[in-house]
Amino acid sequence: MLNKVFLIGRLTRDPEIRFLPSGSQVTSFTIAVNRAYRVNNEWREETYFFDIEAFGFLAERLGKQLNKGTQVLIEGQLRQDRWETAGGDKRTKVKIVADKVNILSGKAERTEKTEEEPELDIENSIEDFSSDEDVPF
Protein backbone atom coordinates (compact mmCIF):
# COMPACT_ATOMS: atom_id res chain seq x y z
CA MET A 1 0.00 0.00 0.00
CA LEU A 2 1.11 3.56 -0.69
CA ASN A 3 0.89 6.16 2.05
CA LYS A 4 2.75 9.31 0.96
CA VAL A 5 1.96 13.00 1.52
CA PHE A 6 3.63 16.18 0.22
CA LEU A 7 2.60 19.55 1.68
CA ILE A 8 3.92 23.10 1.56
CA GLY A 9 2.82 25.43 4.32
CA ARG A 10 3.85 27.77 7.13
CA LEU A 11 4.17 26.94 10.82
CA THR A 12 1.30 28.38 12.83
CA ARG A 13 3.31 28.35 16.08
CA ASP A 14 6.77 27.46 17.37
CA PRO A 15 7.43 23.70 17.44
CA GLU A 16 6.77 21.70 20.60
CA ILE A 17 9.62 19.43 21.71
CA ARG A 18 9.18 16.42 23.97
CA PHE A 19 11.08 13.23 24.71
CA LEU A 20 10.00 9.60 24.67
CA PRO A 21 10.93 7.32 27.61
CA SER A 22 13.71 5.95 25.38
CA GLY A 23 15.25 9.44 25.20
CA SER A 24 14.36 9.94 21.54
CA GLN A 25 13.10 13.42 20.66
CA VAL A 26 9.68 14.14 19.15
CA THR A 27 9.03 17.53 17.56
CA SER A 28 5.41 18.50 16.83
CA PHE A 29 4.09 21.50 14.94
CA THR A 30 1.13 22.61 12.84
CA ILE A 31 1.28 24.05 9.33
CA ALA A 32 -1.31 26.10 7.48
CA VAL A 33 -1.86 25.30 3.80
CA ASN A 34 -3.90 27.67 1.62
CA ARG A 35 -6.10 26.60 -1.28
CA ALA A 36 -7.38 29.15 -3.79
CA TYR A 37 -10.35 28.29 -5.98
CA ARG A 38 -12.89 30.08 -8.15
CA VAL A 39 -16.68 30.13 -7.72
CA ASN A 40 -18.69 32.03 -10.37
CA ASN A 41 -15.63 34.08 -11.48
CA GLU A 42 -14.88 35.06 -7.87
CA TRP A 43 -11.68 33.86 -6.21
CA ARG A 44 -11.99 32.36 -2.74
CA GLU A 45 -9.40 30.96 -0.40
CA GLU A 46 -9.53 28.27 2.25
CA THR A 47 -6.91 27.42 4.83
CA TYR A 48 -6.30 23.90 6.07
CA PHE A 49 -4.32 23.02 9.19
CA PHE A 50 -2.21 19.86 9.49
CA ASP A 51 -0.46 18.46 12.56
CA ILE A 52 3.07 17.22 11.85
CA GLU A 53 5.32 14.99 13.99
CA ALA A 54 9.00 14.21 13.46
CA PHE A 55 11.11 11.71 15.40
CA GLY A 56 14.79 11.14 16.19
CA PHE A 57 17.53 13.11 14.43
CA LEU A 58 15.04 14.90 12.15
CA ALA A 59 13.10 16.03 15.24
CA GLU A 60 16.30 17.37 16.84
CA ARG A 61 17.21 19.37 13.72
CA LEU A 62 13.71 20.77 13.28
CA GLY A 63 13.40 21.70 16.94
CA LYS A 64 16.43 23.98 16.51
CA GLN A 65 15.70 25.41 13.05
CA LEU A 66 11.93 25.98 12.88
CA ASN A 67 9.82 28.75 14.34
CA LYS A 68 6.42 30.31 13.77
CA GLY A 69 6.04 31.55 10.17
CA THR A 70 8.71 29.31 8.62
CA GLN A 71 7.66 27.91 5.24
CA VAL A 72 8.38 24.20 4.86
CA LEU A 73 7.95 21.35 2.40
CA ILE A 74 6.88 18.21 4.24
CA GLU A 75 7.27 14.72 2.83
CA GLY A 76 5.73 12.09 5.05
CA GLN A 77 2.95 9.64 5.66
CA LEU A 78 -0.45 9.69 7.28
CA ARG A 79 -0.99 8.15 10.70
CA GLN A 80 -4.31 7.79 12.48
CA ASP A 81 -4.28 7.94 16.28
CA ARG A 82 -7.20 6.31 18.08
CA TRP A 83 -8.16 6.65 21.74
CA GLU A 84 -11.08 6.54 24.10
CA THR A 85 -12.03 9.43 26.37
CA ALA A 86 -12.73 9.07 30.10
CA GLY A 87 -16.44 9.19 29.20
CA GLY A 88 -16.08 6.21 26.84
CA ASP A 89 -16.29 8.20 23.58
CA LYS A 90 -14.04 6.96 20.79
CA ARG A 91 -11.86 9.60 19.09
CA THR A 92 -9.52 9.60 16.11
CA LYS A 93 -7.09 12.13 14.68
CA VAL A 94 -5.03 11.97 11.49
CA LYS A 95 -1.47 13.33 11.71
CA ILE A 96 1.42 13.47 9.30
CA VAL A 97 4.65 11.77 10.33
CA ALA A 98 7.47 13.61 8.55
CA ASP A 99 10.12 11.60 6.72
CA LYS A 100 11.81 14.66 5.18
CA VAL A 101 11.41 18.40 5.78
CA ASN A 102 12.86 21.12 3.57
CA ILE A 103 12.94 24.67 4.88
CA LEU A 104 11.80 26.90 2.02
CA SER A 105 11.97 30.29 3.75
CA GLY A 106 12.08 31.94 7.12
CA LYS A 107 9.18 33.80 8.64
CA ALA A 108 6.59 35.40 6.32
CA GLU A 109 8.17 37.87 3.94
CA ARG A 110 8.32 41.51 4.96
CA THR A 111 6.70 44.09 2.72
CA GLU A 112 9.39 46.74 3.28
CA LYS A 113 12.78 46.57 1.56
CA THR A 114 15.94 47.65 3.35
CA GLU A 115 19.17 48.99 1.87
CA GLU A 116 20.83 45.58 2.35
CA GLU A 117 18.11 43.91 0.26
CA PRO A 118 18.15 45.43 -3.22
CA GLU A 119 15.23 44.53 -5.43
CA LEU A 120 16.27 42.25 -8.29
CA ASP A 121 15.33 43.17 -11.85
CA ILE A 122 14.84 39.63 -13.15
CA GLU A 123 13.16 40.53 -16.44
CA ASN A 124 16.18 42.48 -17.72
CA SER A 125 18.72 39.90 -16.56
CA ILE A 126 17.25 36.90 -18.43
CA GLU A 127 19.34 35.82 -21.40
CA ASP A 128 17.68 34.62 -24.60
CA PHE A 129 19.09 31.21 -25.56
CA SER A 130 16.61 30.56 -28.36
CA SER A 131 19.02 31.59 -31.14
CA ASP A 132 21.93 29.40 -32.21
CA GLU A 133 23.75 32.02 -34.36
CA ASP A 134 26.85 32.09 -32.13
CA VAL A 135 27.25 28.31 -31.90
CA PRO A 136 30.90 27.54 -32.90
CA PHE A 137 30.17 24.35 -34.89
Side-chain angles (χ1 to χ4, degrees), residues 15 18 21 25 34 39 43 49 53 71 73-74 98 103-104 108 111 115 125 128 136:
R18 64 184 195 280
Q25 183 171 326
N34 294 331
V39 175
W43 282 100
F49 298 93
E53 283 188 340
Q71 186 178 37
L73 165 64
I74 306 288
I103 298 173
L104 301 179
T111 56
E115 286 185 29
S125 65
D128 180 15

Side-chain angles (χ1 to χ4, degrees), residues 58-119:
L58 177 61
E60 292 175 25
R61 182 177 66 88
L62 295 176
K64 295 175 186 174
Q65 294 181 328
L66 297 181
N67 52 32
K68 180 180 177 178
T70 303
Q71 186 178 37
V72 291
L73 165 64
I74 306 288
E75 179 181 340
Q77 51 191 304
L78 297 175
R79 184 186 75 202
Q80 184 176 25
D81 291 341
R82 297 179 182 133
W83 70 95
E84 194 170 308
T85 66
D89 296 330
K90 294 184 179 187
R91 303 277 189 227
T92 65
K93 180 170 185 138
V94 175
K95 294 181 180 178
I96 297 161
V97 176
D99 296 324
K100 296 179 184 176
V101 176
N102 293 333
I103 298 173
L104 301 179
S105 70
K107 291 185 176 186
E109 302 294 324
R110 295 182 309 238
T111 56
E112 300 175 14
K113 297 286 182 185
T114 63
E115 286 185 29
E116 295 90 32
E117 299 175 329
E119 190 169 320

Side-chain angles (χ1 to χ4, degrees), residues 12-80:
T12 60
R13 57 183 165 79
D14 288 340
E16 176 186 314
I17 299 168
R18 64 184 195 280
F19 293 89
L20 298 174
S22 66
S24 182
Q25 183 171 326
V26 180
T27 299
S28 304
F29 54 94
T30 301
I31 63 170
V33 177
N34 294 331
R35 174 182 172 255
Y37 62 97
R38 189 185 298 193
V39 175
N40 298 329
N41 290 331
E42 179 184 328
W43 282 100
R44 296 187 184 174
E45 190 170 297
E46 291 180 336
T47 303
Y48 302 110
F49 298 93
F50 297 97
D51 292 330
I52 314 293
E53 283 188 340
F55 295 88
F57 178 72
L58 177 61
E60 292 175 25
R61 182 177 66 88
L62 295 176
K64 295 175 186 174
Q65 294 181 328
L66 297 181
N67 52 32
K68 180 180 177 178
T70 303
Q71 186 178 37
V72 291
L73 165 64
I74 306 288
E75 179 181 340
Q77 51 191 304
L78 297 175
R79 184 186 75 202
Q80 184 176 25

